[in-house]
Amino acid sequence: MTARDSFEALAEMLPPRPGSGLAVDWAVVEAAWGLEFPSDYKNVIAHYGDVRLGDYLHVIAPAAVTPDTWDEADARRGSMGFITADTRATWADTESTNIDAEPEELVTWGTATSADLFCWLTRGEPDKWPLLVFCHGDDAWVQHDFGMAEFLIRVLNAQPGVEVMAETPLWGDRSPSYVNSAERRRARGM
């Protein structure tokens, strides 16, 4: 499944609400990171924003803050740069896996309330980057050779190959609740 097909299938399952997307200056973000982000991720951000699915998995908004700049005075803690720096430290601190990667090759796109981490192994073409999941409870990494949108579709459909998510609230939830930070602020009257 191509990244575009995956995003379209996700949008059919979870129709984006008007005004949910987030405008991103991708040229600035990608220049800061020194890489191009996958098109399915760009589409998720453009149509859903920094979405939280099922009150469990949070897709992180991109920022020009990188793991090298997250601790600068003007960098917001909690940004993609901060979370990626934490993911890279976790990779370096966990037991050896059968996944061939260096910490610097990981970029985090999502987190979970269970402290699980969702990232890409940034090798090759962005639309073909493998997805890595850190299972906090098992202290283990799992690799999936497909993109973010396809991963979400497989989880929501409880398909084989993503059983790492079988114990989460998203497993088999074909229509999970979802909300982004702007919608959460509006709901709180901010």
Side-chain angles (χ1 to χ4, degrees), residues 9-11 13-14 48 53-54 57 148-159 162 165 168-178:
L10 182 64
M13 287 182 76
L14 303 173
Y48 299 95
L53 296 169
L57 190 152
M148 159 204 195
E150 185 171 344
F151 174 77
L152 294 174
I153 291 164
R154 288 177 182 223
V155 170
L156 297 174
N157 285 318
Q159 291 178 320
V162 290
M165 298 290 288
T168 73
L170 292 181
W171 184 253
D173 185 352
R174 295 189 44 81
S175 57
S177 63
Y178 66 95

Side-chain angles (χ1 to χ4, degrees), residues 9-184:
L10 182 64
E12 280 183 33
M13 287 182 76
L14 303 173
R17 292 186 286 269
S20 292
L22 194 64
V24 173
D25 187 338
W26 288 105
V28 170
V29 169
E30 291 175 339
W33 283 84
L35 52 80
E36 182 181 337
F37 284 87
S39 61
D40 60 345
Y41 172 71
K42 290 178 180 181
N43 276 319
V44 166
I45 296 300
H47 291 87
Y48 299 95
D50 56 344
V51 68
R52 181 172 294 157
L53 296 169
D55 217 21
Y56 174 74
L57 190 152
H58 178 232
V59 176
I60 302 167
V65 176
T66 70
D68 297 327
T69 61
W70 70 267
D71 61 352
E72 292 177 3
D74 62 343
R76 296 175 297 127
R77 287 182 64 82
S79 73
M80 182 180 258
F82 174 77
I83 300 298
T84 295
D86 186 51
T87 298
R88 291 173 178 179
T90 299
W91 177 266
D93 291 344
T94 52
E95 292 295 316
S96 132
T97 67
N98 292 330
I99 302 169
D100 177 31
E102 296 299 321
E104 299 77 30
E105 295 176 298
L106 306 181
V107 173
T108 309
W109 61 264
T111 60
T113 56
S114 61
D116 292 349
L117 299 167
F118 304 87
C119 59
W120 297 289
L121 175 55
T122 60
R123 282 192 194 147
E125 305 254 342
D127 283 346
K128 295 182 180 177
W129 287 346
L131 184 138
L132 302 179
V133 178
F134 176 69
C135 305
H136 181 71
D138 297 331
D139 203 32
W141 292 88
V142 178
Q143 180 173 330
H144 300 284
D145 292 325
F146 40 79
M148 159 204 195
E150 185 171 344
F151 174 77
L152 294 174
I153 291 164
R154 288 177 182 223
V155 170
L156 297 174
N157 285 318
Q159 291 178 320
V162 290
E163 288 85 2
V164 66
M165 298 290 288
E167 301 298 318
T168 73
L170 292 181
W171 184 253
D173 185 352
R174 295 189 44 81
S175 57
S177 63
Y178 66 95
V179 62
N180 65 29
S181 61
E183 293 166 329
R184 288 190 298 275

